[in-house]
Structures are given as structure tokens and as C-alpha cells.
Amino acid sequence: MKFVIATHNKGKVVEFKRMLEPMGIEVVTAELSEPEENGTTFGENAFIKADSACKETGLPAVADDSGLCVDYLDGAPGIYSARFAEPGKRRLTVLEKLKGVPEEQRGAHFVSAVCCVFPNGDRIDAEGKCYGTIAFESRGENGFGYDSIFVQDGRTFGEMTDEEKDARSHRGKAFAEFEEKLREYLKGKG
Ligand code: ITT
């Protein structure tokens, strides 16, 4: 089974491979256009990206739309996580907006909506969430995006190994659900 991964985010490419290859999926990348993510939910945007990549390549395509929802910011940046501030300033912007906010009001969660679109138009959707808090400063070098400011059990995702992050992350949970649904889907085809 060959799937194209519909993302331009290098951090996601690494995680997609880590999660899809053990399922027996051959993962390929392609020069893909970037469709306008004009959906109003993570799930809608994941579908837009997967559908566009499937149409461009003729292969089943998997995309993820994800983001960080901060309680104190009424759920922002949410679906705008990749466009929240200039590249390189996003983590700092969150930390600045939460300056002086005490630990108990620093709750946040990550969301990942995964969508797989097949050339015949079939689709599989899955979603995962993980809950934690926003750190008082950036810590750790692993991962990407907001990993170094998202804390679970006293450590940021940036301070965890790949295995530790995958076992608890939004994307780890979304891909676990996706794997189950894909298995059922393929059984129906077999
Ligand atoms: P693609 O649309 O090409 O996949 P993107 O980076 O634009 O890449 P999104 O629109 O889904 O992806 O934006 C999600 C943003 O949320 C992403 O850029 C990260 O900053 C952040 N994010 C998502 N998952 C994350 C994770 O596991 N760790 C840290 N930050 C994450």
C-alpha cells in the first residue's frame, strides 16, 4: 500500500513516517501545491489537504490538520496555529500572552485531525487530543512547533523522546484511531 503524505511541515513528515510505516504503509512525498485551508474546523482543513494531494498524485493521501488550543486565550491559536505569528515567533508570542498567568490557568490542548482520501473518493477521518499546560519558558530541543512550551507531567514535549511524545500526543492518538479504521476499511475491500 502506497500513500502520499500531504504536508509541507518537515516535523510532521518525520512523525507521519514514524506512525504509518509500522502499519505496513509505504510512505511517499511529492511536490504538492498548498490548497487554501479555508475550513472552519481541523477536520475540514485535513480533508482539503488530503483531497487536493489525492487528486494531484492519484494516490491515497493522508493529511493532518492540527494546532494548539490555549484555555486562557479562549482556544487560540487553534486552527490558526501555523499562521498565529511570524515564523520563529509563535512560541514566544504564546509565552508573552501568558506572562504572569499562574500555573492553574495555563491549561492547553493539542488537536490533530487526520484525513485519508482514496482515489475512488472514499475517506477515513480520525482525531486525537492531548491535554497539558503551557510552560513558563521554552524547554527542550526535540520535536517541532509548540513542543518546547507544551508540558505534560512536568516535562515539555521538547524534552521527551520520540517514543514518549508519540505515546501521549494528539497525533499518536489520531493515528491509532486511523490505523483501526483503515484495518476495518481494508477488510471490507478484501
Ligand atoms: P501542513 O498544513 O502542510 O501540514 P502546517 O504546519 O501548516 O503544515 P497546520 O496547518 O496543521 O500545519 O498547522 C499546525 C501548526 O500547529 C504547526 O505548524 C505547528 O506549529 C503546530 N503543531 C501541530 N502539531 C504539533 C506538534 O505535534 N507539536 C508542536 N506543534 C504542533
Side-chain angles (χ1 to χ4, degrees):
M1 243 186 329
K2 196 192 266 188
F3 282 43
V4 64
I5 47 179
T7 180
H8 293 84
N9 179 318
K10 290 195 181 97
K12 284 193 197 177
V13 171
V14 172
E15 293 197 2
F16 277 34
K17 286 189 176 168
R18 225 155 62 205
M19 293 173 191
L20 291 168
E21 285 174 349
M23 298 180 203
I25 291 171
E26 185 189 340
V27 171
V28 297
T29 52
E31 286 292 317
L32 299 168
S33 58
E34 290 198 56
E36 194 188 348
E37 294 179 34
N38 55 9
T40 56
T41 63
F42 291 108
E44 282 173 18
N45 283 336
F47 171 74
I48 289 168
K49 291 185 263 192
D51 188 50
S52 163
C54 178
K55 287 189 172 123
E56 279 181 19
T57 61
L59 289 171
V62 185
D64 143 304
D65 198 65
S66 46
L68 178 69
C69 305
V70 179
D71 299 347
Y72 189 78
L73 304 177
D74 296 324
I79 62 168
Y80 303 107
S81 291
R83 301 163 260 175
F84 181 54
E86 280 171 54
K89 296 224 168 119
R90 293 180 190 130
R91 286 183 298 263
L92 210 59
T93 304
V94 173
L95 290 176
E96 268 165 16
K97 285 184 185 286
L98 266 66
K99 210 170 182 177
V101 174
E103 172 88 46
E104 62 275 15
Q105 288 176 43
R106 300 178 77 90
H109 62 278
F110 271 124
V111 181
S112 162
V114 167
C115 184
C116 176
V117 175
F118 295 87
N120 67 358
D122 288 349
R123 64 187 269 187
I124 297 174
D125 293 277
E127 190 171 290
K129 289 183 184 170
C130 70
Y131 290 83
T133 56
I134 300 299
F136 287 91
E137 73 287 305
S138 192
R139 299 194 319 257
E141 302 297 325
N142 294 337
F144 67 97
Y146 298 96
D147 278 343
S148 63
I149 62 165
F150 183 80
V151 180
Q152 250 196 10
D153 301 328
R155 281 183 304 153
T156 68
F157 273 2
E159 293 174 310
M160 294 185 191
T161 63
D162 297 344
E163 293 72 22
E164 285 172 328
K165 180 184 171 188
D166 292 350
R168 34 176 93 216
S169 81
H170 50 313
R171 191 163 295 105
K173 290 175 182 166
F175 273 100
E177 184 188 329
F178 170 67
E179 181 173 15
E180 232 168 78
K181 289 184 168 176
L182 178 65
R183 224 175 252 152
E184 281 305 307
Y185 174 77
L186 294 174
K187 233 191 255 171
K189 294 269 150 198

